[in-house]
Amino acid sequence: MATLILRIAVPSPLDRTFDYLPPPDCDLSALAPGVRVRVPFGHRDVIGFLVGTADGTAVVPDALRSAHAILDAEPVLSAETLNFLQWAQRYYHHPPGEVLATALPTLLRQGEPAIPPDIPVRWRITAAGREALAIGTALRRSAGQRLLLEHLAPYPAGLTTVSLRTTARNPSAILRTLRAKGWVEPHAAPGPENPPNPCSRSNLARPVLNEAQAAAVAAVVAELDHFQAFLLEGITGSGKTEVYICLIEAVLARGRQALVLVPEIGLTPQLLSRFNERLPGPLAVMHSGLTDRERLNAWLLARDGLARVVVGTRSAVFAPLRTAGLLIVDEEHDSSLKQQDGFRYHGRDLAVMRGQQLNIPVVLGSATPALETYHNAQRGRYTRLSLPERVGGGRESPIEVVDLRRQRLTEGLSQPLLARAGEHLARNEQVLLFLNRRGFAPVLFCHECGWLSQCHHCDARMTIHLRQGQLICHHCGDQRAVERACPLCGSVDLRALGQGTERLENALQTAFPDIPITRIDRDSTRRRGSLEVLLAGITAGGARLLIGTQMLAKGHHFPDVTLVGIVDADQGLYGIDFHASERMAQLILQVAGRAGRADKPGTVLIQTHQPGHPLLQILVSQGYPAFAAATLAERKAALLPPFTYQALLRAEATTAEQATAFLRAGLALAETIADGVELLGPAPAPMERRAGHYRAQLLVQALQRQDLHRFLDLWVPRLRAKKRDQRVRWSLDVDPIELY
Amino acid sequence: MPAVSATDNCLIIAGYVVGQCEMRTSPAGVPIGRFLLEHRSSQMEAGLAREVYCRIPVVACGAPVANVVCDLVPGEAVRVRGFVGRANNREGEYRLVLHAAHIEIFNAD
């Protein structure tokens, strides 16, 4: 009788499964694909996944090893998830073990049992805590603690640490402090997770949907029982979140679950708290800012159907859903939805695929849809729903271009921008200045000899961070003290060239000495909880200058901001990557959307040295749809995505020669099978040297997606099989969103 | 040719501050002051007395000298000691600048 063989996907870079004998004393009838199996692999034990069984194997009997143990009675990867992941694995040509592992929280990958969590401890405010809150002076210096207490105050039954994350990024630390002061206490709570409370959702007035919102909701609800992709194109402030909430309610009413993908949860606490307020809990929240235990708990809540709504960043696209009813991708154009290393999947594209496999609708929402999505909507594959008006009837803020040529600039700021900022501040309104470059200045240079602060490991200049007194390379992270004298000629007359957010802050402090300034970038929000404190300062109202990088551009709601200044719009206009202008337009409009959201009309000023740039002109005068149409026409003429399909083979090594040699060999392997595809390169990456490695790439492009994948199916195994220089690291990126 | 030492580049010159002094701090925190010095005097040349007149930029790097520059006002009389160097490394440009090691304010009257 033939022995049963287990096909196991083992997390390893090898693009194959491995055959094992079942463990002794194993109930073979209970075996289902998707269970975790502990197996010996080389000299260690690893946790793999059963993907199937077979009656025979090509492995010689002596070499065949037994699995140690089956870890699950019920598969951690359901048939649906497994099927979906296997599709993704084939599409992205990534090793199966790594793909399956990506779908699970770390603790499950490490073998933790997949059993539901105990009732989580809840925290509630004590009488002493209420007193401290009432007096206020005790909390004057700790905004984080005050926020948390205020948040807890209306919940007599307390809240879990997880739900407090909407208020503070690291509630545990703050709770420890508060507990030490006797202001909060833990208790193990019986009863439902999120008990109703006096001022909770039930009492909140439901916003009335406007016509466009109602139409969008109706259109999706009409198709809830089968797959259909929708593009929800709503200008900033048009109430997309409200549409999501109504759709989720419709799905919940049918007893099904909804999954919402968002770009960066840590940056959008407002969205989470709205979901918390309006939707019945518990919410399963999944993102990288959580502890491993919290992620596992969220995963289990989703799998067991206890959490009816799952919200997470890109990897949540793999969340287990017991009764999936709807997938939503918010800010679907955002590049953080694409994983940029290892298994390079796109969360949005996978969501559409998963929706198709689950036969449920997928809603892609954005004010500035990705051109790929736009194109799909144009050719009728996605249903286009638009929200052309702001909620409450407000208008989109007009955009004005400030021509910087021959202007006298004060640290990169023109007189018109400074004058307008002064006017708005005088009216007790807020002004937001956007500059997508953190640090003080991007270059340190010698006035006497022209030396530049080159990074020793990258083809890039090191950025000056004046507060830390350091030069930091934003590409490899290397840092050193700011030089006192030029290493080349010894002159101490070194100067900072260009502007970063720190420098802008200094300049504005001088220009507006009495106005408080909030700077939000990665440096000012490094400490946990600091972003929440900064945001709270902004919401407190009053004249204020806001300076920020793209962290400030996404999803926040600043009702008092009436003027948005885009300090340098030129960065995106002439990028080497063809995606650059699309990114620039999306970023400009996202930032512009921060202006005048409430009853106060807003204005947007864009500073540029290229006021005549055709794409900028179209964007400013005709809006994003016209911009998208013009850019798509360019892409079509140039045979670029979405009119062609690309895959990028990247290689890096300590010498340029090694990397290129690998790619040349790859090109040679392609010769006889390159049917319907074009190979371009090898060419050095736009920034060739990074962190001491030389990077090169080979672009594969095809007019038909099938041709590209037929080619990759043949080519990738050959690449893997080829004996190659071990010093070269390579990766394949299907549908790349940036050229390195 | 005998070795040239640091002491072989020394200039002492006195005169008046012309225009405003310019103060800045390098990113590493080194204070740098600059001003233009105007010099007039009578000198002997080829056995004859003559008037000389010149202007030379002065740069004062580092706290001790830069702090002096910080307090200078236009028209003030100063005596500067230091070395001269090229103002920049651009090809074909040979403007000189006096790097101050010591600045003395004196009463010219």
Side-chain angles (χ1 to χ4, degrees), chain A residues 409-665:
Chain A
L409 298 180
T410 314
E411 301 284 21
L413 297 169
S414 64
Q415 282 312 311
L417 179 55
L418 283 169
R420 294 282 278 281
E423 290 167 21
H424 285 257
L425 292 168
R427 291 202 298 263
N428 210 28
E429 294 164 355
Q430 299 183 341
V431 174
L432 187 161
L433 294 177
F434 173 77
L435 179 62
N436 209 9
R437 207 188 283 123
R438 66 195 170 89
F440 184 78
V443 183
L444 176 71
F445 88 108
C446 172
H447 181 63
E448 288 194 31
C449 74
W451 168 87
L452 298 172
S453 55
Q454 189 74 35
C455 172
H456 297 317
H457 314 287
C458 306
D459 291 336
R461 259 66 54 200
M462 296 178 93
T463 302
I464 309 170
H465 287 253
L466 217 48
R467 302 255 155 111
Q468 296 143 272
Q470 295 280 309
L471 291 176
I472 301 176
C473 174
H474 284 188
H475 298 279
C476 70
D478 190 25
Q479 51 177 294
R480 57 178 193 251
V482 171
E483 270 95 353
R484 281 182 67 82
C486 171
L488 220 56
C489 75
S491 163
V492 294
D493 194 354
L494 298 177
R495 300 182 182 191
L497 194 65
Q499 273 78 37
T501 46
E502 260 185 48
R503 192 174 201 175
L504 204 56
E505 185 179 5
N506 291 359
L508 290 166
Q509 230 147 33
T510 315
F512 302 102
D514 304 326
I515 303 289
I517 299 180
T518 304
R519 173 168 64 92
I520 293 189
D521 54 30
R522 237 167 60 218
D523 301 315
S524 73
T525 55
R526 212 166 283 277
R527 270 194 14 248
R528 274 174 171 269
S530 50
L531 175 63
E532 288 76 9
V533 173
L534 291 176
L535 291 177
I538 298 172
T539 343
R544 184 178 286 270
L545 279 157
L546 281 51
I547 303 168
T549 57
Q550 54 178 334
M551 275 188 83
L552 204 54
K554 291 177 184 174
H556 302 291
H557 177 65
F558 302 128
D560 291 330
V561 170
T562 54
L563 178 70
V564 165
I566 291 167
V567 177
D568 183 4
D570 297 344
Q571 290 179 51
L573 288 176
Y574 294 101
I576 190 167
D577 194 324
F578 68 88
H579 298 97
S581 56
E582 179 187 353
R583 296 272 151 70
M584 175 218 53
Q586 289 165 344
L587 209 45
I588 286 181
L589 291 187
Q590 293 288 331
V591 182
R594 305 304 119 216
R597 296 196 65 157
D599 44 348
K600 299 173 192 158
T603 309
V604 181
L605 292 185
I606 297 184
Q607 294 198 131
T608 174
H609 280 99
Q610 314 286 341
H613 192 284
L615 289 177
L616 187 62
Q617 280 290 329
I618 294 176
L619 183 68
V620 169
S621 59
Q622 298 169 53
Y624 191 77
F627 168 85
T631 311
L632 278 172
E634 270 190 19
R635 298 259 186 105
K636 188 172 190 175
L639 290 181
L640 288 169
F643 299 93
T644 52
Y645 301 90
Q646 295 183 334
L648 193 61
L649 182 66
R650 298 186 174 99
E652 62 173 66
T654 44
T655 69
E657 187 36 49
Q658 291 163 6
T660 315
F662 168 78
L663 295 176
R664 265 201 301 272

Side-chain angles (χ1 to χ4, degrees), chain A residues 73-96:
Chain A
E74 193 194 337
V76 290
L77 296 167
S78 69
E80 180 266 319
T81 318
L82 199 58
N83 191 21
F84 168 57
L85 287 166
Q86 286 173 332
W87 179 87
Q89 182 252 316
R90 287 191 300 273
Y91 184 84
Y92 289 106
H93 296 273
H94 199 75

Side-chain angles (χ1 to χ4, degrees), chain A residues 110-123:
Chain A
Q110 292 168 351
E112 191 87 359
I115 49 169
D118 296 331
I119 299 167
V121 168
R122 259 191 242 151
W123 294 89

Side-chain angles (χ1 to χ4, degrees), chain A residues 341-401:
Chain A
D341 54 15
F343 174 31
R344 293 160 193 260
Y345 62 93
H346 200 299
R348 174 198 61 218
D349 297 346
L350 282 185
V352 172
M353 193 41 172
R354 194 168 181 199
Q356 204 167 340
Q357 292 194 349
L358 286 163
N359 200 28
I360 58 172
V362 180
V363 176
L364 311 177
S366 174
T368 51
L371 293 180
E372 285 79 5
T373 310
Y374 224 86
H375 180 59
N376 277 325
Q378 271 180 351
R379 57 183 180 153
R381 294 188 52 178
Y382 298 172
T383 306
R384 190 161 161 188
L385 308 169
S386 66
L387 306 178
E389 280 166 30
R390 283 195 162 186
V391 168
R395 295 248 319 278
E396 253 187 315
S397 308
I399 301 181
E400 295 169 31
V401 172

Side-chain angles (χ1 to χ4, degrees), chain A residues 17-246:
Chain A
T17 57
F18 295 86
D19 290 351
Y20 286 90
L21 289 167
D25 323 316
C26 164
D27 178 9
L28 294 179
S29 61
L31 270 185
V35 297
R36 291 172 296 162
V37 185
R38 192 186 301 280
V39 293
F41 188 70
H43 295 294
R44 49 199 186 108
D45 283 356
V46 299
I47 289 169
F49 306 92
L50 181 68
V51 293
T53 52
D55 289 333
T57 174
V59 180
V60 289
D62 287 350
L64 198 60
R65 301 163 84 177
S66 291
H68 290 315
I70 307 285
L71 300 187
D72 302 300
E74 193 194 337
V76 290
L77 296 167
S78 69
E80 180 266 319
T81 318
L82 199 58
N83 191 21
F84 168 57
L85 287 166
Q86 286 173 332
W87 179 87
Q89 182 252 316
R90 287 191 300 273
Y91 184 84
Y92 289 106
H93 296 273
H94 199 75
E98 286 188 0
V99 170
L100 299 191
T102 304
L104 291 177
T106 312
L107 288 179
L108 288 185
R109 271 183 299 206
Q110 292 168 351
E112 191 87 359
I115 49 169
D118 296 331
I119 299 167
V121 168
R122 259 191 242 151
W123 294 89
R124 63 183 169 200
I125 187 166
T126 60
R130 285 187 196 280
E131 221 164 275
L133 199 56
I135 299 167
T137 46
L139 289 157
R140 217 181 39 224
R141 271 127 107 25
S142 42
Q145 296 178 25
R146 184 170 47 77
L147 272 178
L148 212 65
L149 279 184
E150 279 173 358
H151 195 78
L152 279 175
Y155 295 86
L159 290 172
T160 61
T161 316
V162 173
S163 41
L164 283 171
R165 278 184 185 280
T166 54
T167 323
R169 222 190 302 174
N170 184 12
S172 316
I174 305 177
L175 284 169
R176 260 198 305 280
T177 316
L178 289 173
R179 186 186 190 179
K181 292 179 177 173
W183 291 347
V184 299
E185 59 185 7
H187 68 122
E193 258 270 313
N194 275 351
N197 62 73
C199 67
S200 80
R201 49 199 143 266
S202 49
N203 297 1
L204 277 175
R206 287 181 61 94
V208 178
L209 297 185
N210 65 28
E211 214 172 293
Q213 285 176 313
V217 170
V220 181
V221 168
E223 319 252 0
L224 274 186
D225 54 352
H226 60 93
F227 168 72
Q228 175 60 46
F230 295 89
L231 164 59
L232 178 64
E233 188 187 5
I235 60 168
T236 47
S238 62
K240 287 188 292 291
T241 310
E242 197 54 43
V243 172
Y244 300 154
I245 289 175
C246 290

